[in-house]
Amino acid sequence: MNRTIRQVKFQTSATPKLTRVVAYARVSSGKDAMLHSLSAQISYYSDLIQSHPGWVYGGVYADEALTGTKDNRDNFQQMLSDCRAGKIDLVITKSISRFARNTVTLLNTVRELKSLGVIVYFEEQNIYTQSSDGELMMTILASYAQEESLSASENQKWRIRHNFESGMPWNGTMLGYRYEKGTLTVVPAEAETVKRIFDEYLSGLGLTAIAKRLNANGIPTRFGNTWGKSSVLAVLRNYAYTGNLLLQKSRRVDHLTKRDVPNNGELPQYHVESSHEAIIDADTFIAVQNEIRCRAEKHTHPGMSKQTYPFTGLIECGCCGKHYRRKVTKARPVWICPTFNTLGKDACPSKQIPEDTLYRLAAEVLETDAFDTLPSKITAVRAENENKLTFFMADGEEIVKRWQDRSRRESWTSEMKDAARHRELERRQNHDAT
């Protein structure tokens, strides 16, 4: 009997793949009405995604009181991280302006997500990023959104400058005062803290010592944070405590970076005398300014200019907002947050960045073999947790880089290894002698 062999195909029904869907929502103001709007958006998207057949609800990423021109939005960055991790297939958002008002940032983000297989849907414009004409429409509409942001920024500048011309401060966010009905009103408890800082400085205490005393006594800053050298110095240098105002001391570079720089005559300044109740008398304020100058001169060596480095003043701490500075340790040069360096991890949980690592990442961003000098392409750097650095480029692009910590053995220099061997040898000799 001959065997008969034939191929058999079994028909199996393919299980449809469910689409993992999330939404992104943002409001650009911290006012109650806006936050209510954000809550309504979250509820709307939650119901929309969960009621759609074939969709798996992945949550709503929402940011409060942050603009769309900068990408320091925590939940926005978390959403991008989840997309890179392959957890998301589709992102729904209300409009292009909610996603980003910087055209370059928008297109770079959408292109990256598209390369990861993630689709973005803009409800208001009815655009899916995977469509053939989606990128063209996004470019046009994002340009309009960016111009709208510029217009809003210019209108805000006009209003602020008009208030300055009328002798009105921009806000009352300084310790000791609240801005009420067009004037600064004294807060007695905070005013006592201001007086204490001035008195202790004139008694001979340094900035760090004053900060440590305030923290030890449980006295917070204006916004409930811990004190540091810079926050104490900011109080000591604040001319408004004399009851007078000097307005428009700084100016904003542009509406995208929102970076403020000192006003060195580019715009007019306004001096307002007796604009509000004083906390510190003029003589005390002048005495403190003279003391600050005397202490600075005491620690300044004549003929020696302060040395600067390529990243001086460019690295901002993502934890406390201070600018990193260069420090030479026994192992190697590092860049470190001054709050962490002075007050410790409890005050600022940031991490130091090895200088060779910083230069290597900068070279990768600039697409060069080695880092030499900092060109104008990099305008700022933000250091965040989890060994993350965000490089802000002159063209509006933002590039994220991460680094791995070296092991203790890798971080030791030859001198440190020799010293350790010498200590171990001495320990053994002392042990044998006993």
Side-chain angles (χ1 to χ4, degrees):
M1 181 177 180
N2 295 329
R3 291 189 304 166
T4 302
I5 300 174
R6 61 189 178 88
Q7 184 177 351
V8 178
K9 293 183 178 180
F10 292 92
Q11 299 295 328
T12 58
S13 57
T15 303
K17 180 184 177 182
L18 298 177
T19 303
R20 298 163 297 179
V21 185
V22 302
Y24 177 72
R26 176 183 63 82
V27 294
S28 56
S29 171
K31 294 181 180 179
D32 292 341
M34 286 296 185
L35 297 182
H36 176 73
S37 171
L38 182 62
S39 176
Q41 290 181 57
I42 294 173
S43 298
Y44 164 73
Y45 284 122
S46 298
D47 294 339
L48 173 68
I49 297 173
Q50 294 182 73
S51 63
H52 194 288
W55 284 4
V56 176
Y57 178 63
V60 178
Y61 298 83
D63 285 309
E64 300 176 3
L66 295 168
T67 70
T69 55
K70 296 178 69 177
D71 277 352
N72 56 351
R73 298 169 278 167
D74 291 339
N75 286 314
F76 183 83
Q77 293 297 332
Q78 183 60 52
M79 181 187 70
L80 296 182
S81 297
D82 290 342
C83 288
R84 296 181 185 112
K87 300 178 181 178
I88 299 172
D89 299 315
L90 172 64
V91 177
I92 301 175
T93 189
K94 180 180 179 182
S95 66
I96 286 175
S97 62
R98 296 295 89 189
F99 207 67
R101 286 186 176 176
N102 183 328
T103 307
V104 174
T105 300
L106 171 69
L107 294 179
N108 286 339
T109 303
V110 168
R111 286 169 182 168
E112 180 190 358
L113 296 181
K114 193 173 182 180
S115 69
L116 296 171
V118 180
I119 300 170
V120 182
Y121 174 58
F122 301 98
E123 279 193 305
E124 195 171 280
Q125 292 83 18
N126 192 27
I127 294 177
Y128 280 93
T129 55
Q130 92 277 20
S131 63
S132 57
D133 59 347
E135 183 162 322
L136 174 61
M137 291 299 297
M138 279 192 302
T139 304
I140 296 172
L141 294 172
S143 297
Y144 279 111
Q146 185 168 322
E147 288 302 314
E148 180 187 358
S149 175
L150 174 61
S151 176
S153 175
E154 292 301 318
N155 289 338
Q156 180 78 325
K157 287 179 182 178
W158 179 88
R159 184 172 70 85
I160 294 172
R161 290 170 185 170
H162 181 71
N163 287 344
F164 284 163
E165 292 173 0
S166 303
M168 297 173 59
W170 162 231
N171 57 44
T173 57
M174 70 188 82
L175 183 74
Y177 290 106
R178 293 295 183 275
Y179 190 51
E180 300 175 353
K181 298 180 181 180
T183 187
L184 292 170
T185 304
V186 173
V187 180
E190 293 183 3
E192 290 303 315
T193 302
V194 173
K195 293 176 183 178
R196 170 181 171 174
I197 292 173
F198 275 79
D199 291 341
E200 290 186 349
Y201 189 78
L202 287 178
S203 71
L205 288 180
L207 302 177
T208 302
I210 295 174
K212 288 182 176 180
R213 283 192 174 191
L214 293 172
N215 293 331
N217 294 150
I219 300 174
T221 64
R222 168 68 170 81
F223 294 103
N225 300 316
T226 56
W227 288 90
K229 289 177 61 177
S230 59
S231 52
V232 172
L233 184 61
V235 170
L236 294 174
R237 288 192 176 278
N238 196 335
Y239 179 62
Y241 290 127
T242 64
N244 307 304
L245 291 173
L246 181 60
L247 304 176
Q248 201 152 260
K249 293 180 291 185
S250 63
R251 61 185 182 86
R252 180 150 292 181
V253 177
D254 56 62
H255 73 293
L256 295 178
T257 63
K258 300 189 182 297
R259 186 165 60 93
D260 292 330
V261 297
N263 177 15
N264 295 318
E266 294 84 358
L267 297 173
Q269 292 187 352
Y270 304 93
H271 184 257
V272 186
E273 297 182 4
S274 302
S275 61
H276 54 278
E277 182 181 351
I279 294 177
I280 302 298
D281 62 82
D283 291 339
T284 300
F285 183 81
I286 293 173
V288 166
Q289 305 317 301
N290 291 334
E291 181 64 17
I292 293 174
R293 185 165 51 254
C294 289
R295 295 189 191 185
E297 291 174 353
K298 182 179 179 181
H299 295 91
T300 301
H301 300 284
M304 292 183 62
S305 58
K306 183 178 180 181
Q307 189 171 4
T308 59
Y309 301 89
F311 285 95
T312 299
L314 287 183
I315 306 176
E316 179 186 89
C317 177
C319 298
C320 70
K322 301 296 189 297
H323 283 93
Y324 272 51
R325 64 189 182 197
R326 188 176 189 265
K327 178 181 179 180
V328 179
T329 66
K330 292 182 179 179
R332 61 193 183 278
V334 298
W335 288 78
I336 191 169
C337 172
T339 305
F340 171 81
N341 188 50
T342 304
L343 301 176
K345 190 174 183 179
D346 292 338
C348 179
S350 59
K351 290 186 65 174
Q352 63 184 23
I353 310 167
E355 187 171 74
D356 55 351
T357 299
L358 176 62
Y359 285 5
R360 175 177 57 80
L361 296 178
E364 292 178 6
V365 168
L366 298 170
E367 298 180 347
T368 59
D369 294 334
F371 179 84
D372 185 14
T373 58
L374 187 68
S376 57
K377 290 182 180 180
I378 299 177
T379 59
V381 182
R382 185 172 63 246
E384 300 175 278
N385 291 330
E386 300 179 354
N387 293 7
K388 174 183 173 183
L389 290 179
T390 302
F391 290 82
F392 295 85
M393 313 304 287
D395 60 2
E397 185 179 5
E398 298 178 13
I399 303 175
V400 175
K401 291 288 182 179
R402 286 182 169 85
W403 81 89
Q404 294 290 333
D405 290 322
R406 295 190 297 180
S407 66
R408 179 171 295 182
R409 175 176 294 181
E410 291 175 326
S411 64
W412 278 28
T413 64
S414 58
E415 292 80 4
M416 295 170 66
K417 293 177 182 178
D418 290 340
R421 281 193 291 266
H422 182 69
R423 288 194 299 271
E424 178 63 17
L425 181 61
E426 286 185 344
R427 185 188 68 79
R428 290 182 180 180
Q429 290 174 345
N430 293 334
H431 180 268
D432 294 341
T434 59

